[in-house]
Amino acid sequence: MNEVTHPLHRTLRHPLQRRTLLLAPLLTLALAACGRDEQASPVGPVEIDAHTTCDLDGMLLSDYAGPKGQIHYVGQAQPVFFCDTVELFNTLLRPEQVKPLRAVYVQDMGLADWDQPHGHWFEAKDGFFVLGSKRHGSMGATVASFVREDRARAFMKDWGGHLLRYSEIKADMVDLSGGALHDGRM
């Protein structure tokens, strides 16, 4: 095939077309790097308001007591909110959960008002959690979240339960298949 009849040569006769072809791989790399930068860049918690709803069931978060949670996914501008930490952990620990995470926040119940929790968000991976207490959240039994271990232990003295770190919470501890699904009275 001679130079004049080669298909690529015919397409790239103009210098701008050749530059575009050469720049395309660089643009692809730059876009890929943006995704990595987004994943690496810190993202802060978003405060709930009177209109913030739970991603799983549409409940208004401000209408219910107990700790709330939020997940920030890579590629999503806004976090996904949960009206209860049980829902948050259930979502995180499902085997089909494959979306890359930027951050997971829960509320520090050592500082937040249990009945109307606002603010006091912290990264869940750094927390202490009380499972099995007599204190309930919006979905009934909940996982109380704390920044400090001493506050978690003080909560346990009043409300019972046992202390766990983030990595110790397992899917069977936050199973959502009970409740209304198995309530014969409904």
Side-chain angles (χ1 to χ4, degrees):
M1 214 178 240
N2 66 32
E3 194 176 68
V4 176
T5 60
H6 190 279
L8 187 58
H9 186 279
R10 271 185 271 140
T11 306
L12 301 176
R13 284 185 191 164
H14 194 276
L16 273 178
Q17 291 172 323
R18 284 190 292 262
R19 274 189 238 142
T20 303
L21 183 65
L22 293 172
L23 289 176
L26 293 175
L27 289 173
T28 302
L29 287 172
L31 288 173
C34 286
R36 281 194 299 274
D37 287 347
E38 178 186 333
Q39 205 166 1
S41 67
V43 60
V46 175
E47 189 53 61
I48 61 173
D49 62 30
H51 306 289
T52 306
T53 59
C54 177
D55 187 64
L56 294 182
D57 52 28
M59 293 169 55
L60 290 170
L61 272 65
S62 61
D63 287 352
Y64 297 93
K68 312 293 182 246
Q70 56 184 274
I71 299 175
H72 295 255
Y73 291 109
V74 171
Q76 273 185 231
Q78 293 299 312
V80 173
F81 289 97
F82 299 88
C83 59
D84 197 289
T85 50
V86 171
E87 290 179 332
L88 172 107
F89 280 109
N90 179 271
T91 299
L92 288 171
L93 297 172
R94 286 193 314 233
E96 65 271 17
Q97 165 52 17
V98 294
K99 288 182 179 178
L101 304 173
R102 289 181 73 193
V104 177
Y105 290 102
V106 292
Q107 291 177 300
D108 182 1
M109 300 315 291
L111 297 174
D113 176 355
W114 189 275
D115 295 321
Q116 294 183 334
H118 290 283
H120 305 289
W121 297 97
F122 70 94
E123 288 219 34
K125 65 180 169 86
D126 299 329
F128 297 89
F129 299 89
V130 178
L131 182 69
S133 78
K134 292 177 264 176
R135 198 86 203 250
H136 285 201
S138 66
M139 302 307 293
T142 193
V143 181
S145 45
F146 300 88
V147 168
R148 293 182 20 193
E149 183 176 2
D150 62 325
R151 290 186 180 147
R153 291 193 183 281
F155 176 85
M156 288 169 38
K157 283 182 184 177
D158 293 336
W159 300 99
H162 60 279
L163 190 66
L164 297 168
R165 294 303 307 253
Y166 180 82
S167 62
E168 296 174 315
I169 299 173
K170 305 300 177 207
D172 62 335
M173 298 174 182
V174 290
D175 184 15
L176 292 175
S177 64
L181 181 65
H182 298 289
D183 190 345
R185 297 171 296 169
M186 295 184 99

